[in-house]
Amino acid sequence: MVKNSPLALRHPAALLLPLTLLAAPAVAQTNVKEDSVVLQPDKVKDDAPVVETMTQANLPDWSKANAKALLGFIQTVGDEGLFAKDYNPDALQAAIDGGDQDKLDQVATDSFLLLATHLRDGRTPNVARKQWFMTDSDAETEPLVALLTSALTSNSVPAALAGLDPVHPNFAVLKTALKSAKTPADANAIRVNMERWRWMPRDLGERYVVSNVPEYLTRVIHGGTVIATHKAVVGKPSTPTPQLNPMATGIIVNPTWTLPKSIIAEGIGATIANNPARARAQGYTWTGSGKTLSVVQQPGANNALGVMKMEMLNPHAIYLHDTPSKGAFAAAARAFSHGCIRTERALHFSGLMAVYFAGKSPEEFGEAIASGKTTKFSFDDPFPVYVAYWTVVPGAKGGITKLADIYGRDAPVVASFAKPGRAAAVVISPNPPVVVPTAPVTPAATQAGKLGDSGIY
């Protein structure tokens, strides 16, 4: 795991936020309704493979030594949480034993590109990745044809494939645990979470915030070190928190809250109509009426977002924020929200963000909080927030810990193991694509321009 050290930053004194702020009394409220998640439809289609021709790819021939090295890696790919049968080991062995160089090139290239795709991007089709919206940039940083060309030239096929593993230490813990899994169910649980690591960027970055929903925890990472850990309240099963990785651009203290229509309809709309004085006492202001009613809650003790909100623009309306319902953090299972992530010790969290990532002094932050006015501290360099979903994590005393699958998202991934996985991200064609003629051509000419039966080889 990443190291845990709260002092491994450039200004240790900045952690000493005014004690009067850090000890601010909690307002005793329950059942606070904050912004609701905007449920998006699951992604059900996989990306279409990129087609390159042999001329474009400029691949050297597969030597028997490289093909045997690939076969050897395939035979041990169970250690990676994958399944050797997916990568056509019998056909590869037959091609190695045969004398047809074109056949060897075809079979070995197909097997390598499919395996590399699954190692880099995950085997699981999109349809089984429930509410998974993270953006994975690995296709840009780890192009597969260039990887294959380099591996064949340097005779380093196994090393090239192994180098596609996620670099985070937690992935290595899962990989080790898979070898000693006691039951098929245990093994599948570990495979599911190895897959989820592959659905994310291979390198998470120098600094980031990560909220693991099943763990009910949010961590702040800087330079490979955990500098803060906060309890989190996440979406209840009826309003589940989706998985995404937006960029955080700033922290807002004393935020206003613009109520979504769904929450207006749940009660505050009626309060405004029947008892406007009570609504004003709770900090609500509004314009319009009926279907045009727009409601904003001003900063204050009753504000559903508490004292802070992290700005992380995304179409799901998900963000990290404070809450006046502090009692929820005492529960062991904390799936209570409308989808957003409520953050414990919000003054500490927002102070850390303002000082370390927005370049403000503790005094500036304290003054902004005390003013009661809405203030935004923009980050000098925006960074990602990973809203993740790992149900198997490293244990506090070694080994692994299994967490409750609060949204039932493991089962679809396990079910996908019995079916074909994602197609290769890249396929190699021996011929250039057919050019649509601009003038009539003879049937013979048309026939000569067609690809082989497979459209690939």
Side-chain angles (χ1 to χ4, degrees):
M1 293 183 65
V2 289
K3 297 173 289 183
N4 287 272
S5 172
L7 301 177
L9 285 174
R10 60 183 185 272
H11 300 305
L15 289 175
L16 302 177
L17 297 174
L19 294 181
T20 55
L21 291 176
L22 293 180
V27 178
Q29 292 190 15
T30 58
N31 300 319
V32 167
K33 294 181 173 66
E34 28 58 281
D35 269 3
S36 297
V37 62
V38 178
L39 292 175
Q40 304 284 348
D42 283 320
K43 294 183 178 181
V44 296
K45 292 185 178 180
D46 298 326
D47 296 334
V50 174
V51 179
E52 293 203 15
T53 68
M54 292 293 277
T55 302
Q56 290 170 324
N58 196 29
L59 296 176
D61 291 339
W62 278 84
S63 67
K64 283 194 174 182
N66 277 333
K68 288 179 179 178
L70 172 61
L71 181 60
F73 190 92
I74 289 172
Q75 290 169 339
T76 64
V77 82
D79 293 343
E80 298 285 347
L82 301 174
F83 307 97
K85 61 181 177 57
D86 288 343
Y87 311 107
N88 219 354
D90 293 341
L92 180 57
Q93 181 67 68
I96 292 170
D97 294 339
D100 187 335
Q101 182 65 44
D102 288 343
K103 186 67 173 178
L104 179 61
D105 290 345
Q106 172 189 328
V107 174
T109 298
D110 282 349
S111 294
F112 180 98
L113 290 175
L114 182 59
L115 176 53
T117 297
H118 292 175
L119 288 168
R120 186 190 69 182
D121 305 329
R123 180 189 186 279
T124 310
N126 278 346
V127 71
R129 305 183 185 192
K130 301 302 182 183
Q131 288 293 288
W132 190 273
F133 301 100
M134 285 205 196
T135 300
D136 183 358
S137 59
D138 292 346
E140 288 74 45
T141 58
E142 299 283 351
L144 297 186
V145 172
L147 181 73
L148 174 54
T149 302
S150 175
L152 293 178
T153 302
S154 60
N155 302 314
S156 59
V157 170
L161 291 168
L164 293 171
D165 274 353
V167 299
H168 197 284
N170 286 16
F171 180 85
V173 171
L174 294 177
K175 188 173 177 179
T176 298
L178 181 61
K179 295 179 180 179
S180 57
K182 296 180 179 179
T183 68
D186 290 342
N188 277 340
I190 295 169
R191 289 188 185 101
V192 166
N193 288 277
M194 292 175 73
E195 277 287 286
R196 289 193 176 113
W197 275 105
R198 292 189 167 111
W199 306 347
M200 299 172 64
R202 184 167 172 267
D203 185 348
L204 301 186
E206 174 69 13
R207 59 178 181 173
Y208 56 92
V209 171
V210 56
S211 292
N212 185 26
V213 171
E215 200 175 7
Y216 308 111
L217 288 178
T218 293
R219 296 177 175 91
V220 182
I221 312 298
H222 188 282
T225 298
V226 178
I227 63 171
T229 301
H230 296 257
K231 291 181 179 179
V233 170
V234 303
K236 54 191 174 185
S238 60
T239 52
T241 301
Q243 276 50 75
L244 63 159
N245 56 340
M247 298 297 287
T249 58
I251 199 82
I252 300 172
V253 299
N254 302 316
T256 60
W257 175 40
T258 301
L259 280 68
K261 295 294 185 182
S262 60
I263 292 181
I264 293 174
E266 287 182 16
I268 190 60
T271 302
I272 289 171
N274 301 321
N275 192 347
R278 180 182 178 188
R280 290 190 188 96
Q282 293 175 338
Y284 294 109
T285 60
W286 58 90
T287 59
S289 61
K291 292 183 179 180
T292 66
L293 182 62
S294 176
V295 183
V296 175
Q297 190 179 32
Q298 299 303 313
N302 291 319
N303 189 284
L305 303 184
V307 298
M308 77 88 187
K309 166 186 171 181
M310 177 176 273
E311 188 172 70
M312 36 193 274
L313 300 180
N314 63 90
H316 311 268
I318 293 295
Y319 43 84
L320 277 63
H321 65 84
D322 184 24
T323 176
S325 294
K326 309 298 186 185
F329 294 112
R334 298 186 288 275
F336 304 132
S337 85
H338 277 62
C340 286
I341 299 172
R342 304 178 191 173
T343 307
E344 182 205 30
R345 296 186 297 118
L347 280 169
H348 179 273
F349 179 86
S350 54
L352 196 68
M353 296 293 111
V355 170
Y356 287 116
F357 302 139
K360 303 301 177 181
S361 69
E363 291 76 19
E364 288 176 297
F365 172 74
E367 289 170 1
I369 290 289
S371 75
K373 297 179 180 178
T374 301
T375 304
K376 177 182 175 181
F377 297 116
S378 296
F379 297 144
D380 300 330
D381 186 13
F383 52 85
V385 177
Y386 297 98
V387 182
Y389 196 89
W390 295 298
T391 54
V392 178
V393 297
K397 298 181 179 180
I400 56 173
T401 297
K402 181 79 165 64
L403 306 173
D405 178 13
I406 57 179
Y407 302 149
R409 291 180 179 168
D410 284 1
V413 183
V414 172
S416 75
F417 294 157
K419 304 172 185 177
R422 291 170 65 95
V426 182
V427 296
I428 306 299
S429 168
N431 303 311
V434 176
V435 176
V436 177
T438 57
V441 294
T442 64
T446 302
Q447 186 64 29
K450 288 185 176 179
L451 296 174
D453 291 341
S454 69
I456 300 174
Y457 288 99

